[in-house]
Amino acid sequence: MNICVFLSAADLDERYTDPAREFARLLGKGGHTLVWGGSDVGLMKVVADGVQETGGRLCGVSVEFLAATARDGVDEMVIAKDLAERKRLLLEKADAVVIMVGGTGTLDEATEILELKKHGRTDKPVVLLNTAGFYDGLKEQFRRMEDEGFLPRPLADLVFFAEEPAGALAYLEESRGAE
């Protein structure tokens, strides 16, 4: 399976890097391909290293203004002209999406895939990996949106919330098997 991971390129502490590395190793051991922003820095590097070390494939989609940080030695690397094209390519190449910890870029990518699902423009499984409770507030906001009628579909149809890496990958593999 080609699994797109939206995540930060920041250097983060072990409460975020250890679970990300665990997910990456599970992904690689499972024979899956990581589709990611292509950077060889911060959390993006941690995940790419973990996938590559365990035999998984790497498909990066960088963007022109970040091309200097793109990882060498990957199975495939595409350089998009801008962030909009990058998001489109990441989603096109993916069979499923995992949202890991990140900043505004990650949040932008997350809301776009959820908007596409909300409108029936994709049926790809989406997991929000809530490492160290990072997305507790967002989860609460999504539930409020659902409770107060802002979502035309049940929240459970849009995103699966996982607290642990193994649960995230298990959900994706089960979803894929159900197709």
Side-chain angles (χ1 to χ4, degrees):
M1 186 176 356
N2 292 340
I3 300 174
C4 177
V5 177
F6 294 135
L7 73 165
S8 178
D11 289 318
L12 302 168
D13 69 44
E14 62 192 28
R15 72 185 153 143
Y16 298 121
T17 58
D18 289 351
R21 187 176 293 106
E22 179 186 344
F23 179 80
R25 288 179 176 157
L26 291 170
L27 193 154
K29 285 178 189 173
H32 303 294
T33 297
L34 171 68
V35 179
W36 94 117
S39 291
D40 200 28
V41 295
L43 198 60
M44 284 195 189
K45 178 181 179 7
V46 169
V47 171
D49 287 349
V51 170
Q52 204 165 40
E53 288 164 3
T54 54
R57 296 184 74 249
L58 297 179
C59 174
V61 182
S62 190
V63 65
E64 286 177 1
F65 71 89
L66 295 175
T69 64
R71 186 180 181 102
D72 291 326
V74 300
D75 298 287
E76 179 183 358
M77 180 63 73
V78 177
I79 307 296
K81 66 180 179 352
D82 57 30
L83 291 171
E85 182 184 36
R86 181 194 209 183
K87 269 193 304 192
R88 182 182 58 77
L89 290 169
L90 285 165
L91 293 174
E92 278 179 11
K93 293 177 176 295
D95 300 314
V97 174
V98 174
I99 302 157
M100 288 188 172
V101 297
T104 55
T106 303
L107 191 57
D108 172 61
E109 293 160 339
T111 55
E112 179 147 339
I113 185 68
L114 295 178
E115 190 69 6
L116 290 169
K117 281 196 80 165
K118 182 181 93 175
H119 290 291
R121 306 301 296 173
T122 185
D123 62 353
K124 295 175 185 182
V126 177
V127 173
L128 193 147
L129 183 53
N130 190 26
T131 301
F134 185 80
Y135 285 119
D136 286 349
L138 185 59
K139 196 165 145 181
E140 183 179 330
Q141 185 63 46
F142 283 148
R143 288 197 175 124
R144 182 175 180 182
M145 289 175 186
E146 180 179 41
D147 292 345
E148 295 187 18
F150 289 93
L151 301 179
R153 297 177 61 185
L155 183 58
D157 288 356
L158 301 178
V159 62
F160 175 79
F161 295 97
E163 301 299 320
E164 299 296 329
L169 189 59
Y171 173 81
L172 294 179
E173 290 176 342
E174 289 167 20
S175 296
R176 190 69 173 162
E179 289 180 3

